[in-house]
Amino acid sequence: MLSTKLINRTKPAILMLLILPSLLWVGMFINGTLGINPIQVLMDKLGEMALRLIILTLLVSSLSQIKYLRSLQNLRRLIGLTAFYYVLLHLMTYVFLDHFFNFSFIVQDIVKRPFITFGFFSFVLLLPLVSTSTNRMVKTLTFKVWKKIHYLIYVGVLLGALHFYLLTKADKTEPLIYLVIIGTLLLWRVVKYILTRRAVQP
Amino acid sequence: MAKILNSEITPYPLYLNRRKFIKSAVAVPFVSSLSFSGNASHLDNSHTYNQQLEENEELNTYEEITSYNNFYEFGMGKSDPMENSEKFQPLPWSIKVEGLVNRAFTINLEDLLNKVTIEDRVYRLRCVEAWSMVIPWQGFPLANIIDMADPLSDAKFIQFETVFRPEEMPGQRKRFLPWPYVEGLRMDEAMHPLTILSTGLYGHDLLNQNGAPLRLVVPWKYGFKSIKSIVAIRFVNKQPDATWSMVAPSEYGFYSNVNNNVHHPRWSQGTERRIGEFMRRPTLMFNGYEEEVAYLYEGMDLNIFY
């Protein structure tokens, strides 16, 4: 059995590991070693990492339902918040670097281009999750309500994956892989939900 | 923009000499050779290039132009064409000119180059992905080849085809696009003096990643219309297939003129990032060649014929 103690002890290392790529990319960006079109590269890398980490959060959450891996749930918040950190950096790159605060243009972009629309709403849906991520909030809201709010992650991650799928031009393999993983995890949740309901109502 | 039309002509012997110089330079590894030869050549011709430059524009560097490319035959990443094209053999090369013409012919590149005059043309290149560059091409008007072929009166369009060599072009071993890549132009577009077949840039032979040894350049259309590594030029009587407009007809039309008024689901066509610049630039109608080409589309609804 994976002990909670072990998990808690590795938390700082995991956090460092997850943050490290962003520091590296921002460093390379400032250094001018991120290629010929650095804004695009930075934005793409941050966005891809954000999506991967949201999926990782879901995966860890699902795995923690397995008896022997229960302690993994202690990582959920850490990975989830790091994912949001990447979402935020991704969005900031888009707003500050790609469009330099040209908000009228950005609003048009959100309205006109489905992939931006999806990306934007994915971000918006993550906000209630982040703002209720403290232990206090769980208590205030009661766990039941808190849990319901956090099911939004599924909608958020789906929109995020669609955002990526739609912007990919020819080879959609990578976004499709993400969509399949998300679909599988979602299906697992739904099946589990149905089974537990049956168990409760004979 | 008329200055682009009245381009200066590089004397052919000089051009040939440069070709020799470049071949030897390109043989050495990328990093050391390109920055050097790029600069050298740039200086040689800076006068010519500058004459054709718009006031608020600068040439993109040789390094930018040769390391940031969309050429899916070599992979989908921007640096894939540079990294994966070393096996490609652009010489010897022959081009087949066929279809509705009085004189169909197959000609090898050397012979073709002896029949044309290589000119310098500094053009903006606007990618549909909303980035752009300014590139000093060397090439000759496509009209030269059309004249040689002497098309029949029912030849209304021209189709171009890229070479198919999966063993040298790793992207062609995957099926994300139907190979070989094809593109097309209407006859008047093809005859337009701005339309060129290019054999070089910055005074160098085209590198593989830029579509060696012969590619189309149509500066008022999105970059993907400017088909690379051409082996066949076919005169036909109806609008031919073009790869991207076959794959995603709602996104890419046959004409694909740079046009901010035609909505694209993926990229805003209102602005563009000039490679090397921080602030986006507004995208100009027909990529800034409106004066020269707008008449080609008079009376056409460009929202239908996009």
Side-chain angles (χ1 to χ4, degrees), chain A residues 36-37 39-40 96-100 105 109 112-115 165-172, chain B residues 64 67-68 70 72 76 129 131 176 244 252 263-268 271 273 275 278-280:
Chain A
I36 300 294
N37 195 354
I39 296 176
Q40 188 72 47
F96 302 158
L97 298 179
D98 198 18
H99 292 288
F100 201 64
F105 185 94
D109 226 16
K112 275 191 183 167
R113 264 157 281 284
F115 93 88
Y165 179 87
L166 285 175
L167 73 85
T168 312
K169 217 162 96 181
D171 186 358
K172 307 238 185 205
Chain B
E64 287 166 343
S67 61
Y68 193 79
N70 275 330
Y72 281 14
M76 287 185 302
E129 296 165 353
W131 54 267
F176 44 72
W244 279 107
Y252 313 99
H263 170 75
H264 192 280
R266 223 190 294 274
W267 303 283
S268 159
T271 64
R273 165 148 298 106
I275 295 301
F278 175 68
M279 294 299 287
R280 285 173 170 262

Side-chain angles (χ1 to χ4, degrees), chain B residues 39-53 59 122 202:
Chain B
N39 291 339
S41 197
H42 186 179
L43 288 176
D44 284 346
N45 296 291
S46 59
H47 174 68
T48 312
Y49 299 151
N50 285 337
Q51 277 197 326
Q52 297 183 32
L53 268 178
L59 294 178
V122 175
Y202 263 122

